Amino acid sequence: MSSTTEQATGARTWSVAEHLDDILTAVQPLEPIELNLLDAQGCVLVEQVTVPVALPPFDNSSMDGYAVRAADTEKASDASPAVLTVIGDVAAGSSGTELTVGPGRAARIMTGAPMPPGADAVVPVEWTDGGTGGGPVRAMAPHSASPEGSGGQVRVHRAVTPQAHVRTRGGDVCAGDVALEAGTVLGPPQIALLSAIGRPAARVRPRPRVVVLSTGSELAQPGEELAAGQIYDSNSFALAAAARDAGAIAYRVGAVTDDAETLRATIEDQLIRADLLVTTGGVSVGAYDVVKEALTAVAGEAEPEEARAEPGEGEDGEEEERAFHGAHVDFRTLAMQPGKPQGFGTIGPDRTPILTLPGNPVSSYVSFELFVRPAIRAMMGLQELHRPTVRATLLPPHGAGEEAEQLTSPEGKRQFLRGTYAGGERPEVRPVGGAGSHLIGALAHADALIVLPEAATGAAWGSEVEVVLLG
């Protein structure tokens, strides 16, 4: 990573790829921890999990019906049903050993109940008279309403073969099998499997805690009355939502005014709960670009590692300074549009990564997708860091014809335009909204980014373009 001084004086322009590589080189996967299963949802498993016991652990019924010896039903039909003596009930949760099914006998059995000794098949209740003495029934009478249903006789109208409607022990997984490999992302089915084999927790890389804060004295919170010159803060909401969508635990901080000391104090307060800090606004070349002012200053004041005071030492007020000692934040110009001004570095005693994004809503969101989302997913230990990209045919905006003004792009910059994508055999993409980085209304209707590379100065309708899928 280049120093802040070098970036301030060298006027070097970074490519999108260079900036992203720098971020991903510095960001490391979080240390594994043990989490309860529901807390581990969406996390990456860091250990191979083997099955301690067979699943299911015993032979059990897959139907409500009657546990029988298949041979006793061999000749059963509607015209000549097999008549069996019912010896009792086997309910789910029972041991299944209370009853033994001998020749000419049957036991009422519920779904999931263990197969009683002697039985080798289950006849669904719909294939029987349910003990009523009439024709086939649709359901079994509740035991509480008809306890006599567990005795008497049952007529079976269809034959079954051995093991019919029986879930055999180990039919799902056997003891010693690999249940899940390290690197598996734990979704609902994986959590179901872990709980089914008796695991109450899993060792995973946790979801990163991402603190998002926006800057600008002009920002008001939604629901407040707008004063003259104010706008509502949308960036912090958009980026916090995007961080959650990427898999992080997101904390949104209310907008910080354009004051460097206030910003530094806010960041210092947030470091305790942040694995990653994301700011938006205040990174360009204006007189009130507070993020650049505050973090350039602390980076310039950094002390050598060995000169730092231990935590708790010093006079009142020095704790905040120590939080920023050793900070390294680079502010860069990127060859991209939107999103030219960017910043990246580390801050605080734990060298917490910080990404500073521009303040225009589209610039901020595009920057998040390109740089912050991959960083979050790298911290989670995921292999797939980036949104999927495809090639698609570029078509005019909806409602415009071929005579519509074609897309243009500044040479030397990679441009990202909002678009709507349609897949299929011939994927298509259409621009939505203009190129302005403040046009958040168009962003809300886009599900893709149209990418025009650095060497391109435009794209004609009908040409093939690269598309980043956002949905």
Side-chain angles (χ1 to χ4, degrees):
M1 190 185 305
S2 303
S3 69
T4 303
T5 303
E6 179 187 15
Q7 291 310 307
T9 60
R12 158 159 132 74
T13 299
W14 292 62
S15 70
V16 171
E18 287 173 330
H19 185 59
L20 178 59
D21 287 346
D22 197 34
I23 294 169
L24 295 181
T25 298
V27 170
Q28 299 298 317
L30 298 179
E31 289 298 315
I33 60 174
E34 193 90 1
L35 289 178
N36 293 331
L37 290 186
L38 291 181
D39 293 331
Q41 182 175 356
C43 296
V44 176
L45 191 67
V46 297
E47 61 180 348
Q48 186 184 77
V49 176
T50 56
V51 180
V53 295
L55 188 66
F58 50 83
D59 290 357
N60 67 88
S61 176
S62 67
M63 304 285 285
D64 293 327
Y66 292 84
V68 300
R69 290 158 45 100
D72 289 339
T73 70
E74 187 175 6
K75 297 181 180 179
S77 67
D78 287 333
S80 180
V83 180
L84 306 176
T85 300
V86 181
I87 59 174
D89 281 357
V90 184
S94 65
S95 69
T97 59
E98 300 90 344
L99 303 173
T100 298
V101 177
R105 302 287 190 265
R108 285 207 315 178
I109 193 167
M110 315 309 146
T111 301
M115 292 293 291
D120 62 4
V122 173
V123 178
V125 66
E126 296 89 345
W127 297 3
T128 76
D129 69 351
T132 64
V137 296
R138 292 187 177 183
M140 204 176 279
H143 178 73
S144 59
S146 180
E148 66 276 7
S150 61
Q153 292 183 323
V154 63
R155 286 169 172 77
V156 178
H157 294 267
R158 292 177 60 178
V160 290
T161 57
Q163 299 306 308
H165 310 296
V166 175
R167 302 166 178 155
T168 58
R169 180 178 184 274
D172 192 352
V173 290
C174 296
D177 285 352
V178 174
L180 296 171
E181 296 282 2
T184 300
V185 179
L186 298 183
Q190 291 75 32
I191 288 174
L193 176 56
L194 289 173
S195 59
I197 62 176
R199 289 287 296 262
R203 188 162 178 78
V204 297
R205 296 197 189 277
R207 294 188 290 159
R209 300 165 301 165
V210 177
V211 173
V212 175
L213 61 91
S214 53
T215 63
S217 298
E218 77 279 13
L219 298 178
Q221 296 306 299
E224 297 178 352
E225 196 74 29
L226 284 179
Q230 284 192 314
I231 60 172
Y232 288 120
D233 172 19
S234 63
N235 284 0
S236 65
F237 286 92
L239 298 187
R244 289 182 181 179
D245 183 68
I249 299 169
Y251 302 104
R252 190 194 70 86
V253 180
V256 180
T257 59
D258 290 323
D259 178 77
E261 290 305 316
T262 301
L263 176 60
R264 290 174 65 177
T266 303
I267 290 176
E268 195 275 330
D269 287 343
Q270 296 298 320
L271 282 172
I272 193 168
R273 64 172 180 174
D275 297 309
L276 176 68
L277 278 163
V278 180
T279 69
T280 172
V283 295
S284 192
V285 293
Y288 291 86
D289 282 328
V290 64
V291 173
K292 195 169 185 179
E293 177 189 352
L295 298 184
T296 298
V298 298
E301 296 165 5
E303 290 184 359
E305 183 80 25
E306 61 272 13
R308 286 201 208 125
E310 291 297 319
E313 294 181 3
E315 300 298 326
D316 292 344
E318 289 187 359
E319 183 177 351
E320 180 184 321
E321 292 301 318
R322 287 197 299 275
F324 287 89
H325 282 151
H328 294 278
V329 184
D330 295 349
F331 293 95
R332 303 167 176 173
T333 297
L334 266 62
M336 65 180 286
Q337 185 180 2
K340 179 177 73 173
Q342 299 284 338
F344 170 64
T346 59
I347 197 165
D350 296 325
R351 299 294 186 268
T352 303
I354 181 169
L355 286 94
T356 65
L357 311 182
N360 278 318
V362 177
S363 302
S364 175
Y365 181 72
V366 169
S367 299
F368 182 97
E369 286 291 335
L370 297 180
F371 307 123
V372 185
R373 181 183 174 89
I376 289 172
R377 294 176 69 79
M379 295 175 82
M380 296 177 68
L382 292 164
Q383 296 300 311
E384 296 293 332
L385 303 184
H386 307 287
R387 294 284 197 183
T389 60
V390 297
R391 304 290 295 182
T393 300
L394 179 65
L395 298 180
H398 284 291
E402 294 291 334
E403 68 280 1
E405 184 177 350
Q406 298 192 352
L407 299 185
T408 60
S409 182
E411 187 175 4
K413 291 184 179 180
R414 184 177 299 185
Q415 183 160 215
F416 298 89
L417 300 167
R418 286 137 291 172
T420 56
Y421 173 78
E425 291 185 10
R426 296 175 59 86
E428 300 171 347
V429 67
R430 297 176 185 268
V432 56
S437 58
H438 64 292
L439 300 175
I440 194 169
L443 180 63
H445 296 283
D447 59 9
L449 294 176
I450 301 167
V451 184
L452 301 184
E454 290 85 347
T457 57
W461 308 133
S463 63
E464 188 178 77
V465 293
E466 180 184 347
V467 178
V468 179
L469 303 182
L470 299 178

